Amino acid sequence: DVLVYLPELEGKPVRMPLAPPQAAGPSVRIFGIAWAAKKPMLAASIRVGKGGALAIFDAESKRLQPVTMQKGVEFGKPVLSPDGSVLVVPGKSFVKGDPGGLLKIDLQSQNGGLLAKGEFENVQFSAKGDHILATRVDSARDKRDIVSIDISSGDVKQFTTDGGSFNAIYSPTSEQ
């Protein structure tokens, strides 16, 4: 399987192999695509067999580049900071008992790590790119609450506690 993209509107399609060619190769599924608000850049999370991959398409350089590929992990829908410098994506481990969490990757230095433990959905950056708004999921109790996460420290602030919240959004005019 391959990911095909157009570097230019009238250009020739470019193919990026996602898995080695095999007669019965691993299944490939794109879980999510996101864009940076202030930079022409897209991010994609891809499942390849029993592993997850992240890739970035930078429209300025017209390049698709892999960011990471990990076995035993499934990545959710990625989000990019408004300036395209940071990628955050929910990740679930196939290892029983591992709570997963939000992975943060600095795209300039390629340094990455766990921003917050747990299961998260509906992740989005603030307009300034300094906070994340997300739904934290407690699957065992089927509860969801809204949280804010400081992108530098990983500090989590919980906004709701009733377990019945599903999504929150920043106002398009919000500066916070």
Side-chain angles (χ1 to χ4, degrees):
D1 289 324
V2 297
L3 182 61
V4 179
Y5 68 97
L6 291 170
E8 298 178 54
L9 189 57
E10 300 292 327
K12 185 176 180 179
V14 176
R15 297 173 173 272
M16 177 184 169
L18 298 176
Q22 301 173 2
S27 64
V28 175
R29 178 178 173 200
I30 295 179
F31 269 71
I33 296 176
W35 59 91
K38 298 177 183 173
K39 185 173 181 177
M41 176 183 279
L42 296 173
S45 59
I46 306 156
R47 182 170 178 185
V48 181
K50 293 186 178 183
L54 298 170
I56 296 294
F57 175 67
D58 185 333
E60 289 176 337
S61 66
K62 299 178 182 167
R63 291 187 49 218
L64 181 69
Q65 65 184 65
V67 175
T68 187
M69 187 161 191
Q70 298 182 12
K71 290 184 179 184
V73 174
E74 178 179 285
F75 294 119
K77 185 180 184 304
V79 292
L80 285 165
S81 60
D83 66 0
S85 64
V86 177
L87 170 69
V88 174
V89 64
K92 286 185 186 178
S93 172
F94 294 133
V95 177
K96 190 172 182 165
D98 185 341
L102 285 178
L103 177 66
K104 171 187 159 188
I105 301 171
D106 180 310
L107 295 173
Q108 285 140 358
S109 69
Q110 294 294 312
N111 290 331
L114 191 63
L115 178 63
K117 282 188 179 183
E119 186 178 346
F120 296 91
E121 299 174 341
N122 309 316
V123 181
Q124 62 181 294
F125 269 95
S126 65
K128 289 182 181 178
D130 58 348
H131 284 84
I132 294 281
L133 192 61
T135 306
R136 181 169 40 194
V137 179
D138 181 345
S139 294
R141 299 182 316 132
D142 195 28
K143 303 286 184 186
R144 289 171 163 73
D145 285 299
I146 306 301
V147 297
S148 174
I149 303 166
D150 184 288
I151 196 71
S152 297
S153 67
D155 289 340
V156 177
K157 180 179 178 183
Q158 189 160 333
F159 290 128
T160 64
T161 58
D162 64 357
S165 302
F166 288 89
N167 200 358
I169 59 169
Y170 283 107
S171 163
T173 60
S174 172
E175 289 297 322
Q176 296 295 324

